[in-house]
Amino acid sequence: MADEGTIALFPGTFDPITNGHLDVIRRAQGLFGKLVVAIGRNPAKANLFTLDERVSMISVLVDECCSKAVVECYDGLTVDFAKRIGATVIVRGLRNVSDLQYEFQLALTNRAVADIETVFIMTGETYAFTSSSLIKQIAAGGDIDRLHRLLPPLVLERMKQKKAEHGGRLPLRRDDAFTSE
């Protein structure tokens, strides 16, 4: 079923990466010759993990489960990065109808300005309510272990370490801006 010549891009901040993200990665890799999990910066979001920490964790997790996926990071517009690496498809996970309106607008814009298609993959029903923002809220307010069904064990451990290193608080910070290449 895979189109071996097609490079697809699954972009996100992945802060933190969730089991829902990994579900989409596992299923998307079977559809394309190569899947690039692209970790981007979003100055509008408060980050828990640095870009280097995210790349490290996600690389380990993707290596464990996905033979046709690689992890890279980027700055700037997703469509510009897609063109640089030769990706002709952007993969997006959909959790619910609320995601659809935003993702549909983004997909149409990407096709109009960059001639790149978007493939939507519905997340597994187990993860339909999960978002990285919600995960951070729950973790900040209490016991991180209660997130064990939503996060890979590696991410749980790193979140606990972060919280312990910062006096029981999660250190959320914003990237100031995109950097230029």
Side-chain angles (χ1 to χ4, degrees):
M1 180 168 166
D3 181 350
E4 294 303 323
T6 301
I7 298 171
L9 179 70
F10 182 41
T13 53
F14 304 109
D15 185 51
I17 191 164
T18 68
N19 288 334
H21 293 129
L22 291 172
D23 176 54
V24 171
I25 292 167
R26 280 186 203 99
R27 291 189 292 129
Q29 77 161 348
L31 301 174
F32 307 102
K34 179 180 179 182
L35 177 66
V36 177
V37 179
I39 307 166
R41 297 178 195 267
N42 184 341
K45 290 187 175 182
N47 294 314
L48 172 59
F49 294 106
T50 67
L51 185 61
D52 289 342
E53 290 169 327
R54 285 180 275 153
V55 168
S56 173
M57 280 189 292
I58 295 166
S59 294
V60 168
L61 294 167
V62 167
D63 285 349
E64 289 174 355
C65 73
C66 304
S67 61
K68 291 169 42 177
V70 297
V71 177
E72 296 187 29
C73 58
Y74 72 102
D75 282 319
L77 295 177
T78 300
V79 292
D80 292 340
F81 180 68
K83 291 293 181 187
R84 274 198 309 276
I85 65 168
T88 56
V89 174
I90 293 176
V91 173
R92 299 297 293 169
L94 289 178
R95 294 170 296 190
N96 52 45
V97 175
S98 300
D99 285 349
L100 185 59
Q101 183 175 0
Y102 170 77
E103 294 294 345
F104 187 75
Q105 179 182 18
L106 191 60
L108 290 175
T109 302
N110 288 342
R111 189 169 58 198
V113 302
D115 199 30
I116 192 161
E117 292 295 334
T118 302
V119 171
F120 297 110
I121 295 182
M122 294 299 300
T123 191
E125 56 278 350
T126 306
Y127 310 114
F129 61 90
T130 306
S131 74
S132 293
S133 299
L134 184 59
I135 295 288
K136 287 185 276 194
Q137 289 175 2
I138 293 167
D143 181 14
I144 292 173
D145 282 324
R146 66 177 137 183
L147 297 168
H148 72 277
R149 289 188 204 115
L150 308 176
L151 296 174
L154 174 63
V155 175
L156 280 172
E157 289 309 311
R158 298 273 174 91
M159 286 180 85
K160 288 181 202 176
Q161 287 173 350
K162 274 257 187 220
K163 201 167 182 180
E165 290 167 3
H166 293 88
R169 299 181 56 101
L170 290 179
L172 300 176
R173 67 203 166 305
R174 295 193 186 279
D175 286 333
D176 290 333
F178 291 116
T179 59
S180 60
E181 296 179 24

